[in-house]
Amino acid sequence: MRKEGADLKKIENHLGEIIITDKYIKSLIASTVIECIGVVGMNGFGAKQKFKALINRSGSNTGILLKTNAQGDLIIDLHIIASYGTNISTVAHIIEDKVKYALESELNIDVHRVNTYVDDMKA
């Protein structure tokens, strides 16, 4: 498992080094998920994460958790609030496809798995 706040990707070219941070990746994921039909919003999760966000005054409790497994593959956990009456399975598949596409096309980051947890439903 990777440390929270660790840099996910470094790119070096003739001009220098580009570091892509977790904060940017989470903002890209959040904007992609919010645009999906059937998603009302993101839901913060876990008492530990909420406490860390409160202490650090950061936006780290956005309902997005980035992890890597032993092989170094990226795994994304998303906690969402879904719209009442939508097909949850379809919404989850759309989110997975769009998040994978956004990260692979924008940042050239391969995503192994996207886990979507529906924490709440709203009308």
Side-chain angles (χ1 to χ4, degrees), residues 64-117:
I64 301 170
L65 183 63
L66 305 175
K67 304 182 287 189
T68 52
N69 61 12
Q71 294 79 23
D73 300 325
L74 178 63
I75 300 169
I76 302 170
D77 289 345
L78 302 172
H79 291 258
I80 67 164
I81 301 169
S83 176
Y84 182 77
T86 58
N87 185 327
I88 301 299
S89 176
T90 303
V91 171
H93 287 301
I94 290 170
I95 290 171
E96 180 181 358
D97 290 343
K98 286 192 172 194
V99 167
K100 282 184 176 182
Y101 178 77
L103 290 178
E104 290 171 0
S105 66
E106 303 264 338
L107 304 176
N108 200 25
I109 295 175
D110 293 326
V111 178
H112 179 67
R113 188 171 66 225
V114 177
N115 300 318
T116 304
Y117 302 96

